[in-house]
Amino acid sequence: RQVSTQSTWGSRVLSDFERKVVAYHEAGHAIVGWFLKYCDPLMKISIIPRGVAALGYTQYLPKESSISTTEQLIDRICCLLGGRVAEQINFGHLSTGARDDLSKITQIAYTQILQFGMYPGGGHVSFQSPMSGGQGLKPYSDELAQRFDEEVKTLVDSAYERTTKLLQEKHEEVKVVAEYLLKHEVITRDELVKLVGPRPFADEEGTHPDDPAFKKKKKKKKKKKKK
């Protein structure tokens, strides 16, 4: 199974301050993913340079699913925003470290609005997202194109506000994770459980949190434990 990675920064050596920013950035991704229901299970957080591509990364194990709901896509955007929001809260700045995150956010948001019509009054039509690199004339008016842009902005702005609220509430957890990263450089899933407590949502591989079959499976596990 493929492991997804959210990476940060470039290939040069970081100063102590930049290293701290990376640690808080990755902690932001991790905490958002830990406390939002539809984010993928976290595997590992690291601020050890990984080749020339990144000096910090957070790894997830995507759940095996053939479909994604609106809620899942929104939580995914929030998770990607976690690093930038953590920087804003803890350092009062925005940085270029979120470049890859912002690219993925833009792609998800435009796909959600144009291809899947996941917005109020979206109708049941699908258009090619400009992020897909398609060429040729748009099969919709300039007015509708403006509506798409507005819906994308509304979607991402709402996700940013939601992410900010969560990380403000979990400020101490972000600090604990970031400081641990600065000291040890790597955090595994088991270590994160010890640092911030168990994840409050289902974390099994290949399951959907709202799948009735999974809920039944969960109840059977609880009954076995009682015995």
Side-chain angles (χ1 to χ4, degrees), residues 125-144:
V125 291
S126 177
F127 301 108
Q128 188 175 26
S129 166
M131 302 303 295
S132 62
Q135 297 180 349
L137 295 174
K138 298 177 296 185
Y140 47 84
S141 66
D142 289 340
E143 289 78 10
L144 189 52

Side-chain angles (χ1 to χ4, degrees), residues 1-7 26 29 38-45 50 56-63 76 79-80 100-101 104 108:
R1 295 180 59 193
Q2 187 176 6
V3 174
S4 67
T5 303
Q6 289 174 7
S7 60
E26 299 305 333
H29 282 310
Y38 297 107
C39 291
D40 292 323
L42 184 140
M43 289 179 61
K44 181 182 180 182
I45 319 161
R50 192 178 187 188
Y57 60 91
T58 305
Q59 283 186 339
Y60 302 88
L61 188 64
K63 295 174 183 175
R76 199 170 298 162
C79 195
L80 287 163
D100 187 54
D101 298 330
K104 291 176 181 176
I108 292 171

Side-chain angles (χ1 to χ4, degrees), residues 26-196:
E26 299 305 333
H29 282 310
I31 293 301
V32 173
W34 200 251
F35 289 101
L36 287 187
K37 183 176 182 180
Y38 297 107
C39 291
D40 292 323
L42 184 140
M43 289 179 61
K44 181 182 180 182
I45 319 161
S46 174
I47 58 171
I48 297 175
R50 192 178 187 188
V52 296
L55 290 181
Y57 60 91
T58 305
Q59 283 186 339
Y60 302 88
L61 188 64
K63 295 174 183 175
E64 292 177 350
S65 177
S66 299
I67 62 171
S68 294
T69 65
T70 304
E71 292 78 13
Q72 285 174 304
L73 293 174
I74 291 173
D75 277 9
R76 199 170 298 162
I77 290 174
C78 288
C79 195
L80 287 163
L81 284 167
R84 168 164 272 215
V85 172
E87 286 186 52
Q88 181 74 64
I89 291 173
N90 290 280
F91 303 100
H93 71 221
L94 299 177
S95 78
T96 56
R99 182 182 63 180
D100 187 54
D101 298 330
L102 296 177
S103 177
K104 291 176 181 176
I105 288 164
T106 305
Q107 185 170 16
I108 292 171
Y110 270 101
T111 299
Q112 189 171 337
I113 299 302
L114 269 77
Q115 291 189 4
F116 301 117
M118 293 177 171
Y119 65 96
H124 306 292
V125 291
S126 177
F127 301 108
Q128 188 175 26
S129 166
M131 302 303 295
S132 62
Q135 297 180 349
L137 295 174
K138 298 177 296 185
Y140 47 84
S141 66
D142 289 340
E143 289 78 10
L144 189 52
Q146 183 178 349
R147 171 75 187 276
F148 291 151
D149 290 339
E150 290 171 353
E151 291 294 341
V152 166
K153 186 177 186 305
T154 298
L155 173 65
V156 177
D157 285 351
S158 175
Y160 194 91
E161 288 177 13
R162 183 173 174 229
T163 304
T164 300
K165 183 179 178 182
L166 174 60
L167 290 185
Q168 285 173 337
E169 292 173 355
K170 302 295 181 183
H171 181 73
E172 284 304 312
E173 285 85 347
V174 172
K175 182 178 178 181
V176 166
V177 171
E179 295 301 321
Y180 189 94
L181 276 172
L182 287 169
K183 187 175 180 180
H184 302 281
E185 296 190 314
V186 174
I187 296 177
T188 64
R189 184 188 180 285
D190 290 341
E191 288 169 334
L192 190 60
V193 171
K194 292 176 183 177
L195 289 172
V196 302

